[in-house]
Amino acid sequence: MDLEYGKCWDASKKDSWKTMLLLAYQSLGVVYGDLSISPLYVYKSTFAEDIQHSESNEEIYGALSFVFWTLTLVPLFKYVFIVLRADDNGEGGTFALYSLICRHAKVSLLPNRQAADEALSTYKLEQPPEKKTSSRVKLYLEKHKFLHTALLILVLLGTCMVIGDGLLTPAISVFSAVSGLEFFMSKEHHEYAVVPITCFIIVCLFALQHYGTHRVGFFFAPVVLTWLLCMSALGLYNIIHWNPHVYQALSPYYMFKFLKKTKTKGWMSLGGILLCITGSEAMFADLGHFSYVAIQIAFTFLVYPALILAYMGQAAYLSQHHQSSYQISFYLSVPETVKWPVLVVAILASVVGSQAIISGTFSIINQSQSLGCFPRVKVVHTSDKIHGQIYIPEINWTLMILCIAVTIGFRDIKHMGNASGLAVMTVMLVTTCLTSLVIILCWHKPSILALAFLFFFGSVELLYFSASLTKFREGAWLPILLALFLTTIMFVWHYATIKKYEFDLHNKVSLDWLLALGSSLGIARVPGIGLVFTDLTSGIPANFSHFVTNLPAFHCILVFVCVKSVPVPFVPPAERYLVGRVGPAAHRSYRCIVRYGYRDVHQDVDSFETQLVDRLADFIRYDWYNTDGTNSCSEDVAIRSNESTSDCRLAVIGTMSLAGTPAYEIEDAFQLASVSGGFTSVDSVTDVIEMEPVRTVERRVRFAIDDESETDAQSEINIQLREELEELFAAQQAGTAFILGHSHVRTKQGSSILKRLAINFGYNFLRRNCRGADVALKVPPVSLLEVGMVYVV
């Protein structure tokens, strides 16, 4: 199925304020659930052990000052005003920044890049190529290959920390909310009730994931809005009733006073304060579902003031109640008459916040899988209309088990907070580094501006990161261990994927070999369509030669299919299929490159097969009329670095009606012309971008047929065109066979022990236990032909 591509809402359009406010309201439940529940545990984590709340109130005032300025500098200034502008066609997140950088500089490790990809309408650059100035940073990055690997590892590290946050957030948020039961139960009962209730809520939360966010999403925004208004009201009440002068603590002076008094212990306690910005990354990661203006309005005018009032209210209450650190809790500042309602709303809000980060984890794993950085897992799209609404069963149940294990193992907000804080700060540091590269490479701003951004926000985040590292033995080891494990898996999978591609590239078969196959060699052409899946964008793959060697027959219609990912979020359906011939027209062999973005929904096999045949038919019509029957194909490909040309001319096939407008928006730089001409047998014609050799510019295509002077030639073309189309549709009726390689990878003799462990054991173990290519492509078993291949890398 092809969902509507692109971001759901475009801020550049003149949307009414009513629409913007509605979007801002809807963003509350999806984006701000995690950020809004942080007041439940920030002060409790800050005053857990390192510092004590004294009669002078210097500690609580200093903590409030740190919270205020941290919320102001990081979520407000960094994300709302800067990072949100670094979107990739409306999409945000770590992979969006990475793909944006890869499009402006040749730092991608994906091996099957083509010049044709740069002609995609979503492959937008900040400036036209002829006006770009190559900065020293860009040249340095492109020159040194080890920096490409380092950049990928940095992105994978940030991705793994997001997954770690998806594990830790449900545990700490639900546990913090349920811990409010201590005010309604005896200590003995409370100790044995909180953990089971937390685990029960977590199980219910993960069990409901398969229904999809869109089915329960309409509950989320009212819950978060109610929670924010509740916190604001409680904050105002506590400020007015207990300490109206608490606003003075917002002065930066109290931060220096706090550190001067508490010294090393105060610095270590920053690991609790940083929890006030957990969930800030969601504003950027979920940008694709909302507009920049909507997220900006929601945070600036509602979420930010509500959080500040909540923290000030708690500080005002604690300034007049000097209990021991172990008794500091959000529920202490709640009046007795409303404790039960607040507890219920807090638990609901914690579930909403957990839901947001779980959905984000599914999304980022799906993106990693699309870019060849994660083993294939089952991805269920729970909505036919909304992008990003996905469910991954294996990841869901794994997260649930680990989340319950964390809850039972830690049983303490302090340890959970230490682990969550380190994961959050690592993601933010990665975002800061990538955004500084975007400022130079994509926005073409002076390097000094990027360094200022990196130094200012990086120093703030490094301060908190260093404080989190001191808690390594008290919970912070968990995200580090998880990140190392996941990063290793993702890097090994990506490395082996690239090596397999390079092996295919060096062992492909010549076009002459394919053309020589015939009855003289005992090779038969059988009815039907044979779809040979390969990662190569050019040449004849080695698995096809293995197939013909063992079974001397292949189908009368042969199509080499390459399903590839492009470093853009979405590929418009009209630009998805890149089609060309392999050999002369009489051979009935074609190449079809199917391009997907990292957030595109892959089609099911029935829809894919039907659309592929339709695109082939469109290409055949175009090719015969465009070449006047002089179709020819030159042998083999010229490989230059990571780019390749095709065996023959390739054309982007997308449907447009006669004398109509394209189904997608065409950029001015494409230089396209609508197709004209009287075709009696063609209901629709194709929108074509002709792919010449690398680095050439597309030319206009227009059909002009002189009926008087070329009647005979046109009749001959029509006859051959009709014959080829009839053979295509007859082959479709005969059935389609999917020919896939079943690979085993092993290292060369003399490889290092580390490489042998990674490939022979690590990668092959993952390959055997993840979903196969046939399952991922939803190929029916009766139509599957697997060809065994041994890759030596």
Side-chain angles (χ1 to χ4, degrees):
M1 54 183 172
D2 271 328
L3 302 189
E4 183 182 357
Y5 62 92
K7 56 184 176 180
C8 300
W9 302 94
D10 188 353
S12 64
K13 297 179 180 178
K14 295 182 179 178
D15 292 328
S16 63
W17 278 105
K18 182 179 179 180
T19 303
M20 278 299 161
L21 291 176
L22 178 62
L23 281 175
Y25 168 75
Q26 292 175 341
S27 71
L28 293 176
V30 177
V31 177
Y32 298 108
D34 189 10
L35 187 62
S36 65
I37 58 177
S38 54
L40 287 172
Y41 45 78
V42 168
Y43 285 143
K44 188 173 182 64
S45 297
T46 303
F47 292 94
E49 283 184 6
D50 299 314
I51 56 176
Q52 299 294 322
H53 179 203
S54 65
E55 296 286 339
S56 64
N57 287 325
E58 290 180 347
E59 294 84 1
I60 191 64
Y61 284 174
L64 174 60
S65 185
F66 265 106
V67 167
F68 171 75
W69 286 105
T70 303
L71 277 171
T72 303
L73 292 177
V74 179
L76 187 62
F77 287 166
K78 176 188 168 183
Y79 280 94
V80 171
F81 293 116
I82 301 176
V83 175
L84 285 183
R85 297 183 182 275
D87 66 297
D88 181 16
N89 289 287
E91 294 299 320
T94 306
F95 272 105
L97 290 173
Y98 181 61
S99 70
L100 201 60
I101 293 169
C102 289
R103 293 211 302 274
H104 288 80
K106 295 179 182 178
V107 295
S108 175
L109 295 178
L110 289 175
N112 54 359
R113 291 179 58 191
Q114 294 175 283
D117 298 338
E118 298 180 10
L120 289 168
S121 59
T122 50
Y123 203 101
K124 295 179 180 177
L125 302 179
E126 294 296 324
Q127 292 180 350
E130 63 271 14
K131 295 183 179 179
K132 274 195 308 186
T133 55
S134 297
S135 65
R136 293 182 180 179
V137 174
K138 177 184 175 181
L139 295 175
Y140 188 79
L141 280 174
E142 292 180 343
K143 181 180 178 181
H144 296 84
K145 297 295 183 182
F146 76 94
L147 291 177
H148 304 178
T149 304
L151 183 62
L152 177 65
I153 292 176
L154 181 68
V155 172
L156 294 182
L157 178 63
T159 301
C160 294
M161 284 298 184
V162 171
I163 298 172
D165 196 20
L167 159 67
L168 294 164
T169 295
I172 187 173
S173 58
V174 176
F175 188 87
S176 301
V178 175
S179 64
L181 291 172
E182 64 182 332
F183 298 99
F184 306 99
M185 305 171 64
S186 63
K187 185 176 180 181
E188 293 78 11
H189 291 90
H190 170 257
E191 290 180 352
Y192 296 103
V194 172
V195 172
I197 292 174
T198 300
C199 292
F200 174 76
I201 293 175
I202 289 173
V203 170
C204 292
L205 173 64
F206 282 96
L208 293 174
Q209 291 301 312
H210 71 278
Y211 289 107
T213 304
H214 69 286
R215 296 185 184 274
V216 291
F218 66 94
F219 288 118
F220 288 2
V223 168
V224 175
L225 179 61
T226 303
W227 173 243
L228 290 171
L229 294 177
C230 178
M231 286 195 305
S232 302
L234 289 173
L236 282 172
Y237 170 80
N238 287 320
I239 292 171
I240 296 172
H241 189 264
W242 297 110
N243 189 354
H245 301 288
V246 74
Y247 68 89
Q248 296 176 356
L250 303 183
S251 170
Y253 167 74
Y254 284 91
M255 290 193 295
F256 296 104
K257 197 172 183 180
F258 171 84
L259 292 176
K260 183 178 180 181
K261 180 179 180 180
T262 57
K263 298 179 181 178
T264 304
K265 290 185 176 181
W267 166 62
M268 295 173 66
S269 70
L270 295 180
I273 292 175
L274 69 86
L275 295 176
C276 69
I277 53 176
T278 55
S280 300
E281 188 74 20
M283 287 192 289
F284 185 47
D286 293 324
L287 182 61
H289 298 292
F290 307 95
S291 70
Y292 164 73
V293 176
I295 291 180
Q296 191 179 44
I297 290 173
F299 182 79
T300 307
F301 296 103
L302 180 59
V303 179
Y304 177 73
L307 289 173
I308 297 301
L309 286 174
Y311 287 114
M312 289 178 65
Q314 287 187 66
Y317 176 87
L318 293 173
S319 67
Q320 303 299 319
H321 299 80
H322 301 89
Q323 293 96 344
S324 67
S325 299
Y326 296 101
Q327 294 177 332
I328 289 180
S329 172
F330 168 82
Y331 294 101
L332 283 174
S333 61
V334 180
E336 289 292 335
T337 54
V338 294
K339 261 190 169 64
W340 269 112
V342 170
L343 176 65
V344 172
V345 175
I347 292 175
L348 290 175
S350 67
V351 170
V352 171
S354 303
Q355 170 64 47
I357 193 64
I358 293 170
S359 299
T361 303
F362 292 158
S363 178
I364 202 163
I365 287 177
N366 185 43
Q367 293 177 25
S368 305
Q369 182 179 250
S370 298
L371 294 176
C373 296
F374 200 85
R376 287 183 295 268
V377 291
K378 182 180 181 180
V379 178
V380 179
H381 294 270
T382 58
S383 174
D384 292 335
K385 298 179 180 179
I386 305 174
H387 271 290
Q389 302 294 335
I390 60 175
Y391 166 68
I392 304 178
E394 295 94 333
I395 301 300
N396 181 69
W397 301 122
T398 302
L399 281 178
M400 185 193 76
I401 294 171
L402 293 176
C403 194
I404 292 174
V406 167
T407 304
I408 297 175
F410 284 161
R411 298 189 179 202
D412 181 38
I413 292 178
K414 171 196 168 187
H415 289 81
M416 294 181 192
N418 293 336
S420 180
L422 185 66
V424 168
M425 292 318 303
T426 305
V427 176
M428 290 188 173
L429 277 169
V430 170
T431 301
T432 300
C433 295
L434 294 178
T435 305
S436 63
L437 287 176
V438 168
I439 292 173
I440 298 175
L441 301 176
C442 308
W443 295 351
H444 308 290
K445 300 297 182 183
S447 299
I448 188 67
L449 196 63
L451 286 174
F453 174 86
L454 180 64
F455 177 77
F456 181 76
F457 291 107
S459 60
V460 173
E461 291 159 359
L462 276 175
L463 176 65
Y464 285 116
F465 182 77
S466 62
S468 297
L469 279 180
T470 62
K471 307 290 185 178
F472 180 82
R473 299 178 61 184
E474 300 171 1
W477 57 269
L478 180 61
I480 295 177
L481 182 64
L482 185 65
L484 288 175
F485 178 71
L486 289 175
T487 302
T488 302
I489 288 177
M490 295 170 78
F491 186 76
V492 167
W493 186 268
H494 187 76
Y495 175 79
T497 301
I498 292 176
K499 291 300 180 182
K500 283 175 61 180
Y501 180 86
E502 292 175 352
F503 181 89
D504 281 336
L505 201 61
H506 291 121
N507 291 275
K508 64 184 178 181
V509 183
S510 68
L511 184 61
D512 289 337
W513 175 87
L514 176 66
L515 298 179
L517 295 177
S519 56
S520 60
L521 297 177
I523 306 295
R525 300 291 291 264
V526 297
I529 299 176
L531 301 182
V532 182
F533 284 85
T534 174
D535 291 330
L536 295 178
T537 56
S538 60
I540 311 303
N543 64 345
F544 180 71
S545 66
H546 282 234
F547 172 75
V548 176
T549 301
N550 290 278
L551 183 65
F554 59 94
H555 299 81
C556 60
I557 300 294
L558 189 63
V559 186
F560 296 98
V561 181
C562 173
V563 180
K564 59 176 284 189
S565 292
V566 185
V568 296
F570 303 99
V571 175
E575 303 176 41
R576 177 154 295 152
Y577 291 87
L578 191 61
V579 186
R581 292 190 186 277
V582 178
H587 200 269
R588 302 295 191 258
S589 297
Y590 311 91
R591 180 175 307 285
C592 182
I593 299 173
V594 189
R595 301 176 292 185
Y596 287 98
Y598 56 81
R599 292 206 62 186
D600 268 324
V601 179
H602 288 236
Q603 301 155 292
D604 57 70
V605 68
D606 294 329
S607 174
F608 173 76
E609 181 183 345
T610 302
Q611 287 204 24
L612 181 61
V613 173
D614 290 342
R615 297 290 85 80
L616 284 175
D618 288 341
F619 170 77
I620 291 169
R621 296 181 185 113
Y622 154 73
D623 192 58
W624 276 106
Y625 282 109
N626 186 50
T627 59
D628 295 331
T630 58
N631 197 307
S632 62
C633 200
S634 59
E635 158 46 5
D636 243 87
V637 291
I639 303 299
R640 297 187 181 103
S641 67
N642 287 335
E643 297 183 1
S644 65
T645 60
S646 300
D647 306 280
C648 298
R649 181 181 62 251
L650 294 177
V652 174
I653 303 299
T655 302
M656 70 160 60
S657 59
L658 283 170
T661 56
Y664 59 95
E665 185 178 352
I666 299 175
E667 298 294 323
D668 294 337
F670 280 146
Q671 301 180 359
L672 295 185
S674 60
V675 181
S676 61
F679 301 125
T680 57
S681 62
V682 184
D683 296 328
S684 64
V685 293
T686 55
D687 182 25
V688 177
I689 304 172
E690 231 181 293
M691 292 298 123
E692 299 295 342
V694 182
R695 301 300 179 193
T696 59
V697 180
E698 300 80 9
R699 65 170 184 264
R700 290 179 178 268
V701 176
R702 187 178 296 276
F703 301 128
I705 300 174
D706 188 344
D707 293 334
E708 296 180 0
S709 61
E710 300 182 8
T711 303
D712 295 337
Q714 184 176 353
S715 299
E716 181 65 23
I717 291 173
N718 284 333
I719 292 172
Q720 296 186 50
L721 166 62
R722 190 176 297 109
E723 288 178 355
E724 189 168 1
L725 289 176
E726 287 175 354
E727 289 185 30
L728 174 64
F729 294 126
Q732 184 183 17
Q733 293 298 320
T736 302
F738 297 80
I739 303 171
L740 283 76
H742 186 80
S743 61
H744 177 77
V745 185
R746 60 182 175 84
T747 55
K748 299 176 183 177
Q749 289 185 352
S751 299
S752 64
I753 296 177
L754 185 62
K755 184 177 180 180
R756 291 203 300 269
L757 287 174
I759 300 297
N760 295 347
F761 297 98
Y763 176 78
N764 284 315
F765 174 80
L766 293 172
R767 183 189 55 79
R768 287 192 300 269
N769 290 277
C770 74
R771 295 171 69 83
D774 57 324
V775 179
L777 293 168
K778 302 178 183 176
V779 176
V782 293
S783 302
L784 176 64
L785 292 172
E786 286 192 308
V787 182
M789 285 286 296
V790 177
Y791 290 86
V792 182
V793 299

